[in-house]
Amino acid sequence: MLSPAKTPAGIRAEPLVSLENVGVLRNGRWLVRGIDFSVSRGEIVTLIGPNGSGKSTSAKAAIGVLKPDEGRVERKPGLKVGYVPQKLSIDWTLPLSVRRLMTLTGPLPERDIAAALDAAGMAHMLDAEVQHLSGGEFQRALMARAIARKPDLLVLDEPVQGVDFAGEIALYDLIKSIRNATGCGILLISHDLHVVMAETDTVICLNGHVCCRGTPESVSRSPEYVRLFGSRAAQTLAVYSHHHDHTHLPDGRVQHADGTVTGHCFPDDGHHGHDHSHDHDHAGHDHSHDHGHAEHDPGHDHPHPHVHAEGERHA
Amino acid sequence: MLDDFFVRAILAGVGLALTTGPLGCFIIWRRMAYFGDTIAHSALLGVALSLLFELNLTLAVFAVAAFVSILLLFLQKRQALSADALLGILSHATLAIGLVMVAFMSWVRIDLIAFLFGDILAVSTTDIALIWGGGLFVLAAIAWLWRPLLAATVNAELAEAEGLKPERARLFFMLLMAVVIAIAMKIVGIMLITSLLIIPAAAARRFSPTPEIMAVLASLIGAVAVVGGLFGSLTYDTPSGPSIVVAALILFMLSLLPVRRHRAITQGQGS
């Protein structure tokens, strides 16, 4: 097995993919703009942000599914990508077993298929039809398909959607072990604004642009969270606490902390005074509020990490 | 043997059914039934143009069908109207323009019914050669495009991300549809072509554990429908094209009958 060796901060390995000032324009509207990030071998990068903030768009630009309208995307020549898309619906009329799903985009040796399904805990489902799988099983089957290809870069768009809390921890453990075993780079999109995988090297918070980036704080260091998540989960999850100095209004304009409203949102438009300093005082908060909110609200200025206890996950 | 019109009809029909099986599977997997109808209806415009400019009928029908396919691809990208509305407009517009043009050409007398509903009993040996030659070409192309087409059917972005070319595969698929419609028009006619694509594939679904088996089964079921329909048409003196479709429908309904299957029961439990 290859030893992955987390990329030490400062000494960057040659990136598998790097985005420079990427913007994607659709129907006269910038879906994302000014996106900069890269993923290197053995590195786990997590994209977070509210709905419609351009996480999937940025990931698609990174793997070449979307062509950027400005900026540059550079991929290592011959880069092999494994992709788990966010939404995948297979028409009932298409007879597709898990076995056949595995070789959808290319032939694979039988033992690679078996090993990948085994790693994802799906070995017993080899001959099941994908339409009969539960949401969590389907996610794991898709993940197995992506890793069986032995990709250089694994792109996972909300891989834990529709998976219960225990399943989520198991999937994050799986992602970690894939990285450790193969040393591939992983670009992970999280549906959660504040709770990310503990192994994440870099968190990038998007909201049409890169709002901020940083490293997550391990949950296991805070007794509060250990109590909330359970000690096993606390090893796997981490918090990324941050607050934003501007709010995206429903009509697409942007209200800044100084009260002004502009029609756009650029890092260097003079309204963003932040030097990416985040308040890391999350430890002492009491999260007794019930989660009556409808999904993530578009103006996502939560100053505190909000934590979903078991049973409160978003589907 | 080929002198007998009935044997020629069976050869032509079976050749066509074998070709439409795999194509029809993609039509139902991708929910493109209405698309198939639209391309088929545009064939009448091809007929009218071939009469007007004295062109080869099959080539003219192929050219118009290919043009309409590409026009659809282009218009869908503009996203001005829903795909559904676009198909409805193009489908009936091309059919109506074709009918109007034929009516204007008072100097030609054509049997519209033969174009609309097919005249399989009138196929010549040349037609059979065209059907089998064209059919083999289409099947070879489908086999070559199989992986990207199937991956793009599941998810186009996934196919693209993992190095396949779904857009190109889709374009080729539409051109293959145009080929099939050009060679199928004589057999079942413009109005019934899509039924020979869709019904055998739908009937094959229940007995197919993999997409590949479904494609082969759809071809075989189509061939059985052709033979059954032709014998029915001979026995009951019914029009041949519609009889083939009715035979396909009967096979489809038979496929829906509940059959006790052990596999279905054990499958859910896993191991």
Side-chain angles (χ1 to χ4, degrees):
Chain A
M1 286 291 147
L2 291 161
S3 63
K6 268 192 173 182
T7 317
I11 311 158
R12 274 289 147 107
E14 187 201 347
L16 296 167
V17 60
S18 65
L19 281 74
E20 263 175 62
N21 193 34
V22 164
V24 176
L25 185 68
R26 282 293 174 277
N27 301 322
R29 199 169 75 90
W30 288 99
L31 297 182
V32 291
R33 223 173 168 186
I35 304 294
D36 279 288
F37 68 85
S38 68
V39 186
S40 304
R41 280 203 81 76
E43 187 184 20
I44 298 180
V45 175
T46 299
L47 301 180
I48 60 169
N51 290 336
S53 60
K55 295 173 300 222
S56 295
T57 305
S58 304
K60 284 175 193 168
I63 53 181
V65 171
L66 285 179
K67 304 277 169 286
D69 295 286
E70 67 174 23
R72 288 193 328 155
V73 178
E74 275 187 45
R75 278 179 293 277
K76 210 180 112 217
L79 181 75
K80 197 167 173 190
V81 173
Y83 181 42
V84 176
Q86 183 184 9
K87 284 199 191 75
L88 208 163
S89 64
I90 296 175
D91 197 276
W92 177 85
T93 56
L94 179 62
L96 200 65
S97 64
V98 171
R99 181 197 297 275
R100 185 62 188 81
L101 176 73
M102 299 297 284
T103 53
L104 189 66
T105 59
L108 289 172
E110 222 20 74
R111 60 164 197 285
D112 288 1
I113 296 174
L117 283 171
D118 210 35
M122 289 291 289
H124 60 294
M125 294 294 220
L126 190 62
D127 291 312
E129 280 206 14
V130 290
Q131 286 92 346
H132 295 160
L133 300 180
S134 72
E137 287 167 343
F138 188 47
Q139 276 313 115
R140 280 189 285 157
L142 288 177
M143 190 102 91
R145 194 204 62 81
I147 61 177
R149 293 168 42 78
K150 303 199 164 129
D152 304 308
L153 177 66
L154 192 56
V155 179
L156 310 169
D157 197 342
E158 304 201 3
V160 296
Q161 58 178 323
V163 179
D164 62 18
F165 190 61
E168 174 173 341
I169 302 301
L171 272 179
Y172 281 149
D173 281 341
L174 171 63
I175 294 169
K176 177 176 130 188
S177 67
I178 293 165
R179 194 273 306 263
N180 290 348
T182 68
C184 66
I186 295 177
L187 180 60
L188 185 66
I189 295 176
S190 171
H191 68 298
D192 202 305
L193 273 175
H194 297 278
V195 179
V196 299
M197 202 181 136
E199 294 294 310
T200 297
D201 297 293
T202 311
V203 180
I204 294 163
C205 175
L206 296 178
N207 201 346
H209 60 113
V210 177
C211 275
C212 57
R213 62 181 83 216
T215 49
E217 293 231 339
S218 175
V219 165
S220 56
R221 271 189 238 144
S222 153
E224 299 274 329
Y225 283 107
V226 174
R227 191 148 30 89
L228 201 56
F229 290 120
S231 57
R232 188 166 129 69
Q235 298 294 322
T236 305
L237 298 177
V239 254
Y240 182 68
S241 46
H242 52 148
H243 82 258
H244 296 126
D245 59 352
H246 63 272
T247 306
H248 291 256
L249 300 173
D251 59 3
R253 291 177 308 157
V254 175
Q255 182 166 36
H256 299 273
D258 54 11
T260 54
V261 173
T262 55
H264 55 97
C265 185
F266 298 119
D268 50 350
D269 62 1
H271 294 279
H272 293 64
H274 61 72
D275 52 354
H276 303 300
S277 61
H278 313 300
D279 54 339
H280 289 295
D281 59 341
H282 53 75
H285 293 299
D286 200 348
H287 297 279
S288 56
H289 57 280
D290 63 10
H291 292 271
H293 57 77
E295 252 330 300
H296 295 298
D297 34 356
H300 77 304
D301 47 354
H302 316 284
H304 316 305
H306 69 243
V307 168
H308 307 274
E310 189 160 1
E312 292 186 322
R313 306 264 91 196
H314 295 290
Chain B
M1 187 182 86
L2 290 177
D3 293 339
D4 183 9
F5 75 97
F6 193 69
V7 174
R8 283 202 305 269
I10 287 187
L11 275 178
V14 168
L16 179 65
L18 295 179
T19 313
T20 53
L23 225 57
C25 288
F26 277 110
I27 300 247
I28 66 169
W29 295 336
R30 305 182 76 132
R31 304 182 178 213
M32 286 168 66
Y34 201 10
F35 170 83
D37 240 10
T38 303
I39 304 303
H41 287 178
S42 73
L44 196 70
L45 184 57
V47 172
L49 288 175
S50 93
L51 291 172
L52 188 60
F53 299 108
E54 291 174 357
L55 302 167
N56 178 292
L57 181 69
T58 311
L59 277 182
V61 169
F62 168 74
V64 170
F67 172 76
V68 171
S69 315
I70 290 164
L71 187 67
L72 267 171
L73 270 184
F74 174 75
L75 288 176
Q76 278 174 11
K77 281 209 170 140
R78 301 263 314 260
Q79 292 175 343
L81 272 175
S82 74
D84 202 43
L86 276 175
L87 286 170
I89 292 169
L90 278 174
S91 169
H92 299 112
T94 48
L95 187 63
I97 294 172
L99 287 169
V100 167
M101 279 175 71
V102 169
F104 265 119
M105 288 183 275
S106 50
W107 61 93
V108 285
R109 294 180 59 84
I110 62 161
D111 182 9
L112 258 185
I113 296 295
F115 287 112
L116 292 178
F117 297 104
D119 193 3
I120 193 172
L121 300 179
V123 292
S124 64
T125 343
T126 327
D127 291 330
I128 295 178
L130 183 71
I131 288 165
W132 281 84
L136 284 176
F137 167 76
V138 169
L139 287 179
I142 285 277
W144 176 61
L145 288 171
W146 188 264
R147 197 180 291 281
L149 264 180
L150 188 66
T153 300
V154 170
N155 187 291
E157 287 172 343
L158 189 149
E160 174 102 45
E162 299 191 353
L164 301 173
K165 302 242 181 320
E167 274 293 312
R168 197 184 63 177
R170 188 165 165 220
L171 176 67
F172 281 139
F173 179 74
M174 291 196 167
L175 293 179
L176 291 178
M177 277 281 296
V179 172
V180 166
I181 278 157
I183 60 177
M185 191 179 57
K186 263 202 174 159
I187 314 294
V188 283
I190 291 164
M191 307 304 283
L192 298 177
I193 288 172
T194 28
S195 62
L196 208 52
L197 286 161
I198 295 162
I199 302 176
R205 167 61 181 100
R206 192 149 154 231
F207 311 104
S208 309
T210 68
E212 291 76 14
I213 292 175
M214 181 161 156
V216 173
L217 274 184
S219 288
L220 296 180
I221 290 173
V224 171
V226 165
V227 175
L230 281 174
F231 272 102
S233 123
L234 198 66
T235 313
Y236 303 105
D237 193 24
T238 48
S240 52
S243 301
I244 292 171
V245 177
V246 170
L249 181 71
I250 291 170
L251 290 176
F252 170 68
M253 292 198 294
L254 285 177
S255 84
L256 295 180
L257 288 180
V259 180
R260 184 177 282 277
R261 284 201 314 158
H262 294 287
R263 226 178 62 103
I265 298 161
T266 50
Q267 203 173 43
Q269 297 171 344
S271 56

